[in-house]
Amino acid sequence: MKKIILPFLILLVTVSLAAQNQPEFKNILYGVAYYHEYMPYDRLDKDIQLMKDAGITVVRLGESTWSLFEPEEGKFEFAWMDRIIDGMQKAGIKVILGTPTYSIPAWLYHKHPEILVDYLNDTHAHYGIRQNMDIVSPAFRFYAERIIRKMMEHYAKNPAIIGYQVDNETTTYGAANRDFFLGFVDYMKQHYINTDTLNKRWGLQYWGMTLNGWDEFPTRDGATNPGYKLEWERYGQQVVADYLSWQASIIREYRRPDQFITHDFMPLHAGQNYVLCNRLLDFPALNVYHNVQDGLKGEDLGIADDYTRSVNRNNFIITETNAQTIGWDSKWQTPPYDGQIRLCVYSHLSSGANMVEYWHWHSIHYGQETYWKGVLGHDLQPNRIYREVSRTAHELQKIGPELVNLKIRNQVGILYSMDSRHALKFMPYKDGDGYMDIVKQCYTALFRNNVGTDFIFTEKPILSDYKLVIIPPLYIATDSLLQAISDYVKNGGHVIMFFKSGFCNQYSTVRWQMMPGILKEACGFTYQEFSSIASLPLKDDPFGVGKENNTVSSWSEFILPGTATALAYYDHPFFGKYPAITANSYGKGKLIYVGTAPSDAITAKLIMDEIKSMGLETPDQLTPYPIVVHMGRNDAGKTVRYYLNYSGEEKKVKYPYAKGTEILSKTSL
């Protein structure tokens, strides 16, 4: 592989930003998850020395070790972990301690087998894997609370511990246990009061499914009603949020003011509602695994980071990411190329991360994750990855204070709807996760054109902070949200909206107005029909993307323009009389509507043409992919620009700004 150009960073003096209410980070933290308890022999002192030599500044401990903290019911042992934490403290390495509740000990399973998950369709979890318990089970909660309190009583005052991670990658794990279902019924009672309301909103007279009371409420098994399925998903998200908030509230009783609380989320996971879960967390953490070698393009890191940062619109941390190879077996073992470890660290930092940690320090010699390798391989000796980690760590020790607490403010946002994502899985317009296909398509277009992007969440849809809002298929929406979008456009906002938006209300019930209903004036058209379509070209290649890319597919809405202007028509004897894409001026703003699923090239051209017409272009758009440019402001109020090369070739770029300093070499530009 050819030499990869180093990511470099440029500072410009600008106006300082206001301080944020977050735990204080003085430097970038760089580290690993560490499990001395997994080692084949005692090598704690050697590991700590290797970490110290490498420049590791933080470790994450303890999230898988309930059976060691409490080897028998009511018998608690902490000396083994005390030795690890004490060793880290002496070496000046900070500690994040996890609650060990995501993997239950064998004695608990044998005493309370009922806490294991009952899945839908009468299948059941077994002991022998993690995350196999019903997190609402009273028995599980009793023992989980006890171990958390015992740990906090023992460790809260330990000066090495800077923060706590509650649980690990939490979802409902597919639970449909009796107590989980009864909780769902209580949830439904709170939201619908009585079954008469439910009958009306879900249309349960269809197929004669009307309910006479909550005692007749059916289980999730076999449910076909889209409203039921959507509420079940919402309930699951609420259960996870309540569970994490419950753990966080216990820790808050003990923690010091300088210690943070976080949870490690999975990127854009359909079972984790970041907004709900983040209520009692100080900031979110992210476990992000990604393609490497020739598959490292940058978008999968970028979308995960930007989504996580957008929850609080503030900094976050990376608690897990690739070190060497990953996988639950030895198929497709792909270690990173030289330079990719370092490139990915700076990529995370450029999106606002204050910490990057690898899962994990050492490769494990047994168990399911034998081939999910750490910084050290199975021989536990320094290697190529260790040397690259060490190089990066020592760089961060020098320049980290200029990079930490990066504040990012973007003018473009993608409106993300968890409800629409789930509902379009229940009533799909194509195979797979069609909602996320459009989300990723739009994000990639922005990422590859160096347009900074935030996510906006329907749970707190703050549209007015952005000049351009991109809306993937908003299949589920309240009247108030649709009105907010219409008002945003009327007051000067610009929107690019995709098909199926506004079709159903919050109960997954189709609206009975002519589409697009509340959005009619903002969109400037109506439609009554739609069709599934194969791949079709657009007439006359209106976006100039070439024959190969000039295609749309999957879906077509038969748009009848009013005030809207057609931007593109289908090149087809029947569909060709209907616009595929329209634009409408409404009030002071503009709404572009995409009534079909366009190719990647069309979506990118549509977005970038609008950004150009709005005057939102910056010199960064002149730097072509695979060079990716990110920017923000540091604690000194200076602008930091990252230039990240996602290719295997050395690249030259023209620095388009008046003045700056390349941080690593201190070269003036």
Side-chain angles (χ1 to χ4, degrees):
M1 180 183 176
K2 296 181 181 179
K3 181 180 178 182
I4 298 176
I5 196 170
L6 306 183
F8 64 90
L9 310 102
I10 297 165
L11 293 180
L12 295 174
V13 178
T14 54
V15 180
S16 297
L17 296 177
Q20 300 294 320
N21 183 24
Q22 285 214 147
E24 189 174 31
F25 283 79
K26 296 290 189 180
N27 200 346
I28 298 296
L29 295 176
Y30 190 42
V32 292
Y34 180 59
Y35 310 108
H36 185 256
E37 61 273 18
Y38 296 170
M39 285 295 188
Y41 59 93
D42 187 350
R43 48 176 285 135
L44 178 62
D45 293 340
K46 183 174 183 177
D47 281 326
I48 292 175
Q49 187 61 52
L50 285 171
M51 290 180 194
K52 189 174 180 180
D53 292 345
I56 294 297
T57 55
V58 63
V59 293
R60 167 176 168 246
L61 307 172
E63 81 277 355
S64 301
T65 50
W66 190 343
S67 64
L68 297 183
F69 284 128
E70 191 178 3
E72 300 174 24
E73 182 184 355
K75 179 183 178 182
F76 300 97
E77 296 183 359
F78 300 110
W80 67 274
M81 180 61 81
D82 294 346
R83 176 172 172 252
I84 298 169
I85 295 177
D86 289 347
M88 296 298 173
Q89 183 185 5
K90 290 175 183 176
I93 298 173
K94 303 178 188 300
V95 171
I96 299 172
L97 186 63
T99 62
T101 46
Y102 90 119
S103 183
I104 61 174
W107 62 259
L108 179 53
Y109 152 67
H110 279 281
K111 183 171 184 178
H112 292 284
E114 75 278 6
I115 72 174
L116 294 185
V117 166
D118 293 330
Y119 302 114
L120 297 175
N121 302 317
D122 296 323
T123 56
H124 311 279
H126 297 276
Y127 192 75
I129 193 171
R130 62 185 184 177
Q131 297 172 317
N132 55 358
M133 66 285 186
D134 172 13
I135 60 175
V136 305
S137 161
F140 170 74
R141 288 288 186 102
F142 171 83
Y143 292 102
E145 179 171 355
R146 188 173 70 179
I147 188 61
I148 294 170
R149 290 191 181 278
K150 290 291 185 181
M151 288 180 65
M152 292 305 296
E153 288 167 2
H154 188 83
Y155 287 114
K157 304 303 180 184
N158 191 302
I161 298 174
I162 61 170
Y164 302 94
Q165 172 193 305
V166 291
D167 210 70
N168 179 75
E169 297 180 343
T170 308
T171 71
T172 66
Y173 313 131
N177 299 54
R178 182 65 180 170
D179 52 5
F180 191 92
F181 169 72
L182 292 176
F184 179 53
V185 176
D186 289 339
Y187 165 91
M188 293 298 296
K189 290 177 181 178
Q190 294 171 17
H191 287 76
Y192 291 87
I193 311 302
N194 55 59
T195 54
D196 289 341
T197 302
L198 199 61
N199 290 334
K200 182 177 181 180
R201 290 179 178 171
W202 284 2
L204 292 181
Q205 61 273 22
Y206 175 73
W207 281 351
M209 293 183 179
T210 51
L211 302 174
N212 296 310
W214 292 110
D215 57 329
E216 295 180 358
F217 192 76
T219 63
R220 174 64 176 82
D221 282 300
T224 56
N225 187 282
Y228 189 122
K229 294 178 181 179
L230 182 57
E231 288 292 4
W232 180 264
E233 296 299 330
R234 287 172 175 160
Y235 170 65
Q237 294 163 38
Q238 188 66 59
V239 164
V240 172
D242 290 346
Y243 174 69
L244 295 178
S245 296
W246 170 74
Q247 286 211 17
S249 67
I250 296 171
I251 291 176
R252 283 180 182 275
E253 296 179 30
Y254 299 88
R255 71 159 180 178
R256 302 190 312 268
D258 61 323
Q259 293 174 324
F260 62 77
I261 304 173
T262 190
H263 171 74
D264 52 330
F265 294 96
M266 294 173 283
L268 288 88
H269 194 281
Q272 293 181 308
N273 187 312
Y274 285 26
V275 176
L276 293 179
C277 290
N278 201 55
R279 291 174 305 189
L280 292 184
L281 306 179
D282 292 303
F283 49 78
L286 178 64
N287 294 351
V288 54
Y289 294 98
H290 51 81
N291 293 323
V292 293
Q293 297 186 3
D294 296 332
L296 179 60
K297 305 299 183 184
E299 298 98 341
D300 45 358
L301 285 79
I303 193 171
D305 289 345
D306 288 342
Y307 184 90
T308 305
R309 185 194 65 251
S310 296
V311 175
N312 285 345
R313 294 177 66 183
N314 215 325
N315 302 104
F316 61 99
I317 61 176
I318 303 292
T319 36
E320 294 184 21
T321 193
N322 311 48
Q324 295 192 54
T325 60
I326 61 175
W328 272 19
D329 53 43
S330 58
K331 293 181 291 186
W332 305 109
Q333 291 280 288
T334 53
Y337 290 152
D338 292 342
Q340 289 187 333
I341 285 281
R342 181 172 173 274
L343 171 63
C344 291
V345 170
Y346 284 112
S347 180
H348 291 307
L349 302 185
S350 75
S351 293
N354 273 345
M355 181 187 88
V356 177
E357 274 192 343
Y358 298 103
W359 202 89
H360 40 127
W361 170 244
H362 62 93
S363 301
I364 301 171
H365 302 83
Y366 40 71
Q368 183 67 68
E369 293 174 316
T370 298
Y371 290 96
W372 206 296
K373 296 181 68 180
V375 172
L376 300 184
H378 290 116
D379 59 15
L380 303 176
Q381 300 301 312
N383 54 31
R384 177 177 66 93
I385 299 300
Y386 175 87
R387 289 188 288 273
E388 190 168 326
V389 166
S390 178
R391 175 193 174 186
T392 306
H394 286 99
E395 283 180 357
L396 292 176
Q397 287 178 356
K398 296 177 182 178
I399 67 173
E402 297 180 85
L403 310 181
V404 73
N405 302 321
L406 190 72
K407 296 297 177 281
I408 298 170
R409 295 293 178 263
N410 294 315
Q411 300 183 88
V412 178
I414 297 174
L415 182 65
Y416 179 85
S417 169
M418 183 76 84
D419 283 348
S420 296
R421 181 179 180 182
H422 283 295
L424 284 173
K425 285 184 177 179
F426 305 143
M427 290 290 179
Y429 71 90
K430 58 174 287 189
D431 291 337
D433 192 343
Y435 179 81
M436 285 305 298
D437 288 345
I438 299 295
V439 170
K440 291 178 180 179
Q441 183 185 68
C442 293
Y443 181 84
T444 297
L446 294 162
F447 179 88
R448 292 196 172 197
N449 285 283
N450 294 323
V451 178
T453 307
D454 287 350
F455 283 85
I456 309 165
F457 301 97
T458 54
E459 292 83 359
K460 49 177 185 180
I462 304 171
L463 306 178
S464 59
D465 288 350
Y466 300 91
K467 293 184 178 179
L468 174 63
V469 174
I470 298 171
I471 304 180
L474 189 61
Y475 186 64
I476 302 294
T478 61
D479 289 354
S480 61
L481 177 56
L482 297 182
Q483 189 61 55
I485 294 169
S486 181
D487 292 344
Y488 167 75
V489 176
K490 189 174 184 179
N491 292 328
H494 286 235
V495 165
I496 299 176
M497 175 178 282
F498 284 77
F499 56 96
K500 281 187 170 289
S501 290
F503 197 74
C504 289
N505 63 20
Q506 65 267 41
Y507 309 112
S508 203
T509 298
V510 175
R511 286 184 165 86
W512 42 85
Q513 304 102 317
M514 187 180 294
M515 292 297 150
I518 294 171
L519 295 171
K520 177 182 176 182
E521 289 186 323
C523 289
F525 64 76
T526 58
Y527 73 88
Q528 293 177 290
E529 293 184 83
F530 40 78
S531 177
S532 299
I533 58 172
S535 179
L536 295 177
L538 295 179
K539 188 175 181 180
D540 299 327
D541 190 9
F543 300 103
V545 295
K547 182 177 180 181
E548 184 178 343
N549 296 313
N550 183 42
T551 58
V552 296
S553 63
S554 300
W555 190 256
S556 171
E557 292 166 353
F558 296 1
I559 292 173
L560 303 172
T563 57
T565 300
L567 298 182
Y569 282 93
Y570 304 98
D571 190 1
H572 186 272
F574 174 75
F575 297 107
K577 59 186 174 181
Y578 301 107
I581 303 172
T582 62
N584 186 54
S585 296
Y586 177 58
K588 300 177 182 178
K590 178 181 177 183
L591 190 148
I592 294 173
Y593 189 87
V594 186
T596 184
S599 69
D600 293 347
I602 290 174
T603 294
K605 190 66 163 53
L606 190 66
I607 290 172
M608 294 313 299
D609 283 353
E610 186 62 12
I611 285 173
K612 184 176 181 179
S613 72
M614 294 175 67
L616 299 182
E617 276 191 315
T618 72
D620 295 335
Q621 275 78 70
L622 300 176
T623 302
Y625 183 83
I627 303 298
V628 172
V629 185
H630 285 168
M631 61 86 68
R633 292 185 182 178
N634 67 9
D635 282 341
K638 294 182 178 181
T639 298
V640 182
R641 284 192 174 86
Y642 289 77
Y643 288 75
L644 307 161
N645 180 9
Y646 285 99
S647 80
E649 299 176 350
E650 185 172 302
K651 300 289 183 180
K652 293 183 178 180
V653 298
K654 181 178 180 180
Y655 180 60
Y657 296 93
K659 186 178 180 182
T661 301
E662 200 275 292
I663 295 178
L664 289 170
S665 67
K666 302 302 180 184
T667 303
S668 295
L669 299 176

